[in-house]
Amino acid sequence: MEEERDQWTSKIGFILSSAGAAIGLGAIWKLPYVTGMSGGGAFFLIFVIFTLLIGLPMLISEYIIGRGAGKEAISAYKKLAPDSFWVWIGRIGVLGCFLLLTFYSVVGGWVLIYTFKSIIGQVIQTGADYEALFGSVVTSPTVTLGGLLLFTLCNVVVISFGIKNGIERANKYMMPLLFIFFLIIVVRALTLEGAMEGVKFFLAPDFSSITGEAVLYALGQSFFSLAVGFSCMVTYSSYLKKDVNLTSSAASVVGMNIFVSLLAGLAVFPVVFALGMEPAEGPGLLFMVLPAAFGEIPFGAFFLSLFLILFLFATLTSSFSLYEIIVSAFTADGKHSRTSVTMILGAVLFIVAIPAALSDSLLSDVTIAGKSIFDATDYLVSNIMLPLGSLLIALFVAYKMDKTLVKEQYHIGSTSNLSLYGLWRVLMSIVVPLTIIIVYLNMLGIVGGTM
């Protein structure tokens, strides 16, 4: 007899947890700096369009697969397409999430350390060299491993409590706080003299600065910012009650993701422009430019601490989904307890992540295909495994999964979206697969150069 599965207690709990999975490093750290490097408003507008036309249909698809099967990632494909190679979509997803966590947890550790340092007043200081401060964090084996350990423990504690009492409960507190903190920072940023120049840069489209390369990057960023491709949302939706409408849930998650991306830009660019700094700083924007920027305004240390706390929340809620897909795969047969699997996974992940954590210190001379261990793992996951998993999911739901089941799952809980089903099928059958192939070829350097 199959053990009764844990479930989300409410639709809002599911939406907040899904949004938490999607809103992470991509929305708060990566999007502002790539927007700054890619011309500002025009890039952001293209990102929003692609998120609606590509990311949203894919998110609905993963929800349909998960709720339609009522199983976690690997078992879902086994049930829907028994004795076929499609089960490898789930396996690729589990392996991809594991590898992703080996470097995501390292960055999570940096954020945790910076948050702690900011709260106790060790980041914003008179005459501080913020580049050197960031270097002292990433090049110290003790600091990076300590951050990695603490970040791993945070995940282990939450995931061990399960869906209802762990992930959902954490997200119900962390996501609203994230929005509240963000709004406080945005209000402060917009009151700075010269802030409107930053708003104009971020929201006023100037298509003369957009290149074909930037368009492709916006497409990839929008697609991957919703946590689709590794079947995380297949696993999340498998815990969903049968009467919840999937399309409205997906639309809510996408709306929240776009809103947070908007808030991230409004929190960063007004401050950067008001203080005459460079928006195209790159990856150091968060860890080096923002501390310098906040250091120039009254109560800057307080606002930087708020920003880092919300960034930590977003990083954790995303990592919860990565942990969950792995834990659920190993507990699906009911033979192993969630707590023991979570603890073992945490220990293994910490050990496997050590080389990535030491990529800027003790192992800085070790390279793979000319890249550091950290960068090589990132490239494998982001440029090869994630596009491949995304393409297979799109092909599966469009051409392999039972069309009656797909249509049934799409329509449950609503009668207002009947006319949109045909549009969604066209997007998933033609537009999304072709788009993924273009992005995939671009990331491999075959089409359009390097993004």
Side-chain angles (χ1 to χ4, degrees):
M1 184 176 175
E2 188 176 349
E3 184 180 344
E4 185 178 350
R5 301 182 82 240
D6 204 354
Q7 282 191 324
W8 305 109
T9 60
S10 65
K11 179 179 177 179
I12 188 63
F14 168 66
I15 290 173
L16 287 175
S17 297
S18 293
I23 298 167
L25 292 177
I28 299 177
W29 173 51
K30 195 172 185 180
L31 184 67
Y33 85 71
V34 297
T35 301
M37 295 169 63
S38 303
F43 178 89
F44 183 71
L45 177 61
I46 295 170
F47 159 77
V48 171
I49 292 171
F50 281 141
T51 299
L52 295 173
L53 293 180
I54 305 299
L56 177 56
M58 270 296 298
L59 184 58
I60 293 171
S61 298
E62 289 207 19
Y63 282 172
I64 287 173
I65 294 169
R67 216 256 304 271
K71 303 282 187 181
E72 44 69 43
I74 294 179
S75 299
Y77 296 104
K78 283 183 179 179
K79 180 178 179 178
L80 297 173
D83 302 320
S84 70
F85 76 93
W86 293 104
V87 69
W88 279 98
I89 303 178
R91 290 170 179 164
I92 290 171
V94 171
L95 177 60
C97 286
F98 181 88
L99 293 175
L100 178 55
L101 276 169
T102 63
F103 64 88
Y104 192 99
S105 297
V106 175
V107 180
W110 297 346
V111 178
L112 198 154
I113 291 165
Y114 253 73
T115 303
F116 177 73
K117 282 181 171 291
S118 180
I119 290 173
I120 63 175
Q122 292 186 358
V123 175
I124 293 182
Q125 297 178 12
T126 304
D129 184 340
Y130 295 108
E131 185 174 355
L133 177 62
F134 182 62
S136 70
V137 171
V138 301
T139 61
S140 168
T142 303
V143 174
T144 52
L145 290 179
L148 171 63
L149 177 61
L150 290 174
F151 188 81
T152 302
L153 287 174
C154 288
N155 278 277
V156 168
V157 170
V158 171
I159 298 299
S160 64
F161 280 104
I163 293 297
K164 241 182 339 191
N165 298 318
I167 297 174
E168 183 174 355
R169 179 173 293 178
N171 277 289
K172 277 186 174 180
Y173 290 104
M174 295 170 83
M175 291 305 295
L177 284 173
L178 185 149
F179 283 105
I180 292 169
F181 288 175
F182 240 143
L183 288 171
I184 292 172
I185 293 168
V186 168
V187 169
R188 182 64 188 97
L190 293 177
T191 57
L192 295 174
E193 185 177 350
M196 288 304 108
E197 285 301 310
V199 175
K200 182 179 177 182
F201 172 81
F202 180 51
L203 295 182
D206 177 11
F207 289 97
S208 64
S209 61
I210 287 293
T211 63
E213 185 177 18
V215 171
L216 286 170
Y217 197 94
L219 193 154
Q221 173 70 17
S222 64
F223 183 75
F224 303 131
S225 69
L226 289 174
V228 292
F230 277 158
S231 297
C232 292
M233 295 306 190
V234 171
T235 296
Y236 264 31
S237 60
S238 71
Y239 300 116
L240 192 59
K241 294 177 180 178
K242 299 299 182 183
D243 59 345
V244 174
N245 180 251
L246 299 180
T247 55
S248 64
S249 298
S252 297
V253 172
V254 169
M256 291 172 70
N257 187 272
I258 292 175
F259 184 54
V260 166
S261 299
L262 174 67
L263 290 178
L266 292 177
V268 172
F269 293 116
V271 177
V272 170
F273 273 80
L275 299 173
M277 296 182 173
E278 178 54 57
E281 179 66 27
L285 189 66
L286 177 70
F287 293 106
M288 290 180 275
V289 175
L290 282 189
F294 280 115
E296 297 296 321
I297 65 176
F299 304 106
F302 169 75
F303 288 107
L304 178 64
S305 295
L306 276 187
F307 190 95
L308 289 170
I309 289 170
L310 73 85
F311 188 32
L312 178 61
F313 284 177
T315 307
L316 280 168
T317 55
S318 290
S319 63
F320 294 160
S321 67
L322 300 175
Y323 264 85
E324 180 58 29
I325 187 176
I326 305 171
V327 170
S328 62
F330 284 95
T331 56
D333 58 6
K335 296 179 181 178
H336 308 287
S337 73
R338 168 177 283 268
T339 301
S340 60
V341 169
T342 304
M343 292 177 66
I344 293 171
L345 173 62
V348 172
L349 268 169
F350 175 76
I351 294 170
V352 176
I354 288 175
L358 301 180
S359 289
D360 290 312
S361 54
L362 298 179
L363 299 179
S364 60
D365 294 331
V366 179
T367 60
I368 302 172
K371 302 177 185 294
S372 68
I373 297 172
F374 182 102
D375 290 337
T377 309
D378 184 5
Y379 184 88
L380 172 63
V381 172
S382 302
N383 292 27
I384 297 176
M385 296 183 70
L386 190 54
L388 177 60
S390 303
L391 178 60
L392 290 174
I393 289 171
L395 295 175
F396 179 81
V397 78
Y399 297 105
K400 177 62 179 178
M401 192 172 171
D402 181 76
K403 290 181 175 57
T404 302
L405 178 60
V406 171
K407 192 170 185 178
E408 175 189 276
Q409 291 297 321
Y410 185 95
H411 290 318
I412 285 176
S414 175
T415 57
S416 61
N417 56 10
L418 298 178
S419 61
L420 296 178
Y421 176 75
L423 174 61
W424 173 79
R425 279 216 75 94
V426 170
L427 289 172
M428 289 309 303
S429 302
I430 302 172
V431 178
V432 173
L434 286 178
T435 302
I436 296 171
I437 290 172
I438 291 172
V439 175
Y440 192 30
L441 293 177
N442 179 270
M443 287 185 168
L444 294 177
I446 298 173
V447 173
T450 305
M451 286 194 287

